[in-house]
Amino acid sequence: VSPQTVSRVINDRPDVADETRRRVKEVIERLDYQPSALARSLIQQHSYTLGVVTAGLKYIGPSRTLNGIVDRAEAEGYTLLLKELPRFNSNDIKPLLDSLLAHQVDGIVWAVPEVSENRQWLTDRLPALPVPIIFLTMQPNPAYSVVSVDNQLGGRLAVEHLLAQGCRRIGHISGPLDWWEARQRMEGWRTALQSAGLLSHSLDPAGQLWTEGNWSSASGERAFTALLEKSTHLDAVFVANDQMALGVMLAAHRQGLRIPHDLAVIGFDNLPEAAYFWPPLSSVDQDHHQLGRAAVAELVRQIDIQRSGTAPEPASIVIRPVLVVRDSSSQIKKGVLNER
Amino acid sequence: VSPQTVSRVINDRPDVADETRRRVKEVIERLDYQPSALARSLIQQHSYTLGVVTAGLKYIGPSRTLNGIVDRAEAEGYTLLLKELPRFNSNDIKPLLDSLLAHQVDGIVWAVPEVSENRQWLTDRLPALPVPIIFLTMQPNPAYSVVSVDNQLGGRLAVEHLLAQGCRRIGHISGPLDWWEARQRMEGWRTALQSAGLLSHSLDPAGQLWTEGNWSSASGERAFTALLEKSTHLDAVFVANDQMALGVMLAAHRQGLRIPHDLAVIGFDNLPEAAYFWPPLSSVDQDHHQLGRAAVAELVRQIDIQRSGTAPEPASIVIRPVLVVRDSSSQIKKGVLNER
DNA sequence: CTGAAAGCGCTTACAG
DNA sequence: CTGAAAGCGCTTACAG
């Protein structure tokens, strides 16, 4: 039998005699033969491969996002090429991007959060990019395809809940402000306080209700100690992630503060462990897994469109976070609070 | 200029005139040309690509291991193809393996822990595998290349520390016993107790000192409650991971038990958050990142050997865990303990 | 319904 | 030092 007949059988083409097809299939089975994906990609100019660029894989957020990307990619029949940026704010993306393109990926998922100047390369490189690319976790922009969580909404949900619980002096421990996500969560905190008439100055100018952390538990502990020094009568704190909130609670325990009676605490991310912190931590849940899945779904859609000849329109997808209330912020005795 | 001259320039061959080399380089630069990795792999029969099979990417352990794999692979100049098993105990690895081989990977890292029968395929498939493969987290075996942490040692370290603190009734909450790691940690607990003459029966036959969890915090909480019901005078518990230990501590708080005075607790994994639990949790540290790096280093070594014509010898690498002591198990008032 | 020819984008001998 | 020829393992027209 000739090679192209085998090719026809493998690709389920109709123009093969049943008998031939049967015989070829039998031999394929017996030899455990499988076609070279490489040769196939080369000739078809279609690799069924997606490039994924990630950063901070040692943290749980990026891993869960990657998990969503992998799941959806396998469901769509795509194989993943994985690359990692050495630092979140790296702008040295040329070797990475070149390597992915050399492997003829059909599309790219840029699963690196927007931090300081790490989107600068976009202006230079994006116009010449031969394949669709989706960005995760950055400011939506009509020029690109972006999938993000509404972090500002998350911050608002947290603070509005605290207000409903009777809290009035609500502090904030933010992530590093060169992170877009950190700025958005802080903005949510600010707007909620302003709407309630509890933040008269436009930006808490003395910074009395706010301190900056670096996402780690250690920084949360430090930031809370600093916050207590400059701010009195604090009755609640919205912390920009669960790890820092854990550090805050440890510091509060050591100060003899009771949570939530003396101090209500809300985190962000809703780690699986948050429900087992002491006390169980209220948190804004963001679905990293869905973020990854949505990105791949949109990317594959754009690849198909591009392959059919038309240029795909950029799309922005925003995922709404949800507040999960636990002991650290509920059943506060309001009377006690009002006395203070 | 002819294609093969360009090829020579790109591959830094000596036999090109300096002037020609300069001109070619300039054009490459100007056109931002990059050779197709696909075509190259096809002709060289060497893809500089590694297949990675992982499972449970939504958990922090597998992610950190993957992080180590990625870091080392990039340092060695290899690109990664990432696949995920749908379940830890999946034995349906044929499509996965076939896909990796179709992409002509030069080697495979099997970063899936040994769970129930998920190594059965080895006997059938391994002999015919055309590329080296390294297994992570399984029982070392002279027939394969394996990189593992010494989980049994970890269990012993934890229990010996508790004994040194004066604890005598030391319980264990294990992971699911179809996991090799769970069995090893339990075995470490048992041998340490036996050496101290504190476990007369070979296996705590009534199971009075032991309960099985499923790694989650929720299961830790349940398991501890069950353990308290059947076992009195418990003064310490060695828990097979930090998440379950968190659940144990929550249940202990709710029962009014003081940690470590009434109950000492030690976990396993040493999550970054463990130092900020309440109280800060003692834990056996296993370096997932190093596990991943070591696996890739060994794999690349074997690829080079195979390429030079000889068949590589299987190698077993064992990484020693380290106990990190924190408040949850230290400065126990021995007098108080002895009274009970 | 089946096979001979050409080509995807490279690299490896082999000539000159 | 440089180029013409052959081939990696496939698929896509084109003949028959």
Side-chain angles (χ1 to χ4, degrees):
Chain A
V1 226
S2 73
Q4 52 271 50
T5 303
V6 177
S7 173
R8 277 187 274 254
V9 172
I10 286 175
N11 295 298
D12 268 325
R13 294 293 163 73
D15 47 355
V16 183
D18 282 358
E19 167 60 8
T20 317
R21 187 185 301 274
R22 198 193 52 67
R23 273 172 44 221
V24 171
K25 277 196 169 164
E26 194 220 320
V27 177
I28 286 178
E29 191 69 24
R30 186 151 48 76
L31 299 182
D32 204 17
Y33 167 85
Q34 47 196 341
S36 159
L38 252 40
R40 221 167 182 169
S41 304
L42 192 61
I43 193 86
Q44 295 192 142
Q45 305 290 63
H46 189 5
S47 65
Y48 281 101
T49 291
L50 260 31
V52 179
V53 181
T54 180
L57 223 41
K58 66 177 171 180
Y59 301 106
I60 192 68
S63 318
R64 307 204 123 192
T65 304
L66 180 59
N67 193 205
I69 292 170
V70 175
D71 287 356
R72 185 71 193 223
E74 298 201 339
E76 300 269 5
Y78 280 83
T79 293
L80 292 184
L81 239 49
L82 180 66
K83 294 282 177 182
E84 187 181 26
L85 275 188
R87 290 164 294 109
F88 282 113
N89 62 357
S90 171
N91 205 30
D92 173 31
I93 47 79
K94 181 159 168 36
L96 238 152
L97 215 47
D98 285 350
S99 165
L100 290 179
L101 295 176
H103 283 275
Q104 310 290 123
V105 295
D106 293 331
I108 295 176
V109 182
W110 200 264
V112 179
E114 183 176 356
V115 178
S116 65
E117 311 297 310
N118 77 355
R119 289 293 188 278
Q120 279 204 327
W121 60 272
L122 276 183
T123 28
D124 283 356
R125 212 58 156 63
L126 194 61
L129 219 58
V131 296
I133 180 168
I134 306 271
F135 295 91
L136 259 53
T137 316
M138 73 179 277
Q139 177 65 43
N141 179 320
Y144 321 124
S145 288
V146 177
V147 184
S148 294
V149 167
D150 190 340
N151 285 282
Q152 205 179 124
L153 171 63
R156 275 208 313 277
L157 290 175
V159 174
E160 284 165 4
H161 162 70
L162 290 170
L163 290 168
Q165 295 292 311
C167 302
R168 286 300 171 265
R169 291 275 294 175
I170 303 174
H172 179 50
I173 292 174
S174 72
L177 290 186
D178 52 347
W179 285 60
W180 172 73
E181 291 166 284
R183 293 194 297 276
Q184 292 292 303
R185 290 172 200 177
M186 182 164 179
E187 189 59 27
W189 164 74
R190 183 181 338 189
T191 49
L193 283 190
Q194 278 175 344
S195 305
L198 291 172
L199 200 67
S200 45
H201 319 298
S202 68
L203 172 58
D204 175 33
Q208 290 197 336
L209 286 174
W210 158 72
T211 322
E212 185 174 351
N214 69 10
W215 300 127
S216 74
S217 297
S219 81
E221 186 184 25
R222 283 195 303 272
F224 181 63
T225 308
L227 197 59
L228 280 187
E229 274 170 21
K230 59 184 172 186
S231 177
T232 49
H233 305 304
L234 218 57
D235 56 17
V237 57
F238 163 52
V239 189
N241 78 351
D242 287 354
Q243 273 99 338
M244 293 197 293
L246 188 61
V248 166
M249 295 207 293
L250 181 62
H253 292 320
R254 289 194 167 141
Q255 302 255 356
L257 292 170
R258 291 166 307 161
I259 299 172
H261 306 91
D262 300 330
L263 182 83
V265 180
I266 299 197
F268 205 110
D269 275 347
N270 194 26
L271 301 181
E273 289 76 38
Y276 293 86
F277 288 173
W278 182 252
L281 178 68
S282 298
S283 189
V284 179
D285 184 90
Q286 58 170 330
D287 191 339
H288 288 110
H289 197 270
Q290 192 202 340
L291 197 72
R293 275 180 298 152
V296 172
E298 173 61 21
L299 183 58
V300 169
R301 204 183 63 83
Q302 294 196 11
I303 289 170
D304 290 344
I305 292 178
Q306 177 157 319
R307 205 149 279 283
S308 79
T310 19
E313 290 284 305
S316 277
I317 299 174
V318 176
I319 294 174
R320 292 175 64 92
V322 175
L323 175 68
V324 178
V325 176
R326 302 201 180 89
D327 295 0
S328 72
S329 73
S330 58
Q331 294 182 305
I332 306 176
K333 289 176 197 123
K334 288 212 183 128
V336 176
L337 270 176
N338 293 342
E339 275 171 32
R340 283 154 80 257
Chain B
V1 228
S2 74
Q4 53 271 50
T5 303
V6 177
S7 174
R8 277 187 273 255
V9 171
I10 286 175
N11 295 299
D12 267 327
R13 293 293 162 73
D15 48 354
V16 184
D18 283 358
E19 167 60 9
T20 319
R21 188 186 300 274
R22 199 192 52 68
R23 273 171 45 220
V24 171
K25 277 197 169 164
E26 193 221 321
V27 176
I28 286 177
E29 190 69 24
R30 186 154 46 78
L31 299 183
D32 204 18
Y33 166 83
Q34 46 196 342
S36 158
L38 253 40
R40 224 168 179 166
S41 304
L42 192 60
I43 194 86
Q44 295 191 142
Q45 306 288 63
H46 189 5
S47 66
Y48 280 101
T49 291
L50 261 32
V52 178
V53 181
T54 181
L57 223 41
K58 67 178 172 179
Y59 301 106
I60 193 68
S63 317
R64 307 203 123 194
T65 303
L66 180 60
N67 192 207
I69 292 170
V70 176
D71 286 356
R72 185 71 193 223
E74 298 201 340
E76 299 270 5
Y78 280 82
T79 293
L80 293 183
L81 239 52
L82 180 66
K83 294 282 178 183
E84 187 180 27
L85 276 188
R87 290 164 294 109
F88 282 112
N89 61 357
S90 170
N91 206 28
D92 173 31
I93 48 78
K94 182 158 166 40
L96 239 152
L97 216 47
D98 285 350
S99 165
L100 290 180
L101 294 176
H103 283 276
Q104 310 291 124
V105 294
D106 294 331
I108 296 176
V109 181
W110 200 264
V112 180
E114 183 177 354
V115 178
S116 65
E117 311 297 309
N118 77 353
R119 289 290 188 281
Q120 281 205 325
W121 61 273
L122 276 184
T123 29
D124 283 355
R125 211 56 156 67
L126 195 62
L129 219 57
V131 296
I133 180 168
I134 306 272
F135 295 91
L136 259 53
T137 315
M138 74 178 276
Q139 178 65 43
N141 179 319
Y144 321 126
S145 289
V146 176
V147 184
S148 292
V149 167
D150 189 340
N151 285 282
Q152 206 180 120
L153 172 62
R156 274 208 312 278
L157 290 175
V159 174
E160 284 165 5
H161 161 72
L162 290 171
L163 290 168
Q165 296 292 311
C167 301
R168 287 298 172 266
R169 293 275 295 175
I170 304 173
H172 179 49
I173 292 174
S174 72
L177 290 185
D178 52 346
W179 286 59
W180 172 73
E181 293 166 282
R183 292 193 300 275
Q184 293 291 304
R185 291 172 198 175
M186 182 164 180
E187 190 58 27
W189 164 75
R190 184 181 336 186
T191 49
L193 282 189
Q194 278 174 344
S195 305
L198 291 172
L199 201 65
S200 45
H201 319 298
S202 68
L203 172 60
D204 175 32
Q208 289 196 337
L209 287 173
W210 158 71
T211 322
E212 186 175 351
N214 69 9
W215 301 126
S216 75
S217 297
S219 80
E221 186 184 26
R222 282 195 304 271
F224 181 64
T225 309
L227 196 59
L228 280 186
E229 274 170 19
K230 58 184 172 185
S231 177
T232 49
H233 304 305
L234 218 57
D235 57 18
V237 59
F238 164 50
V239 190
N241 78 351
D242 288 354
Q243 274 98 338
M244 292 196 293
L246 188 62
V248 167
M249 296 207 292
L250 182 63
H253 292 320
R254 289 193 167 141
Q255 301 255 356
L257 291 170
R258 290 165 310 159
I259 299 171
H261 307 90
D262 300 330
L263 182 84
V265 181
I266 298 197
F268 205 111
D269 275 348
N270 193 26
L271 301 181
E273 289 76 39
Y276 294 84
F277 287 174
W278 182 250
L281 178 68
S282 299
S283 189
V284 179
D285 184 89
Q286 59 170 329
D287 192 338
H288 288 109
H289 197 270
Q290 193 202 339
L291 198 73
R293 275 180 298 151
V296 172
E298 173 61 21
L299 183 58
V300 169
R301 204 183 63 81
Q302 294 197 9
I303 290 171
D304 291 342
I305 291 178
Q306 177 156 320
R307 205 150 278 282
S308 79
T310 20
E313 289 285 303
S316 276
I317 298 174
V318 176
I319 294 175
R320 292 175 65 92
V322 174
L323 175 68
V324 178
V325 176
R326 300 200 180 90
D327 295 0
S328 73
S329 73
S330 59
Q331 295 182 306
I332 307 176
K333 290 178 195 121
K334 290 210 180 129
V336 177
L337 270 177
N338 293 341
E339 275 172 30
R340 282 152 82 254

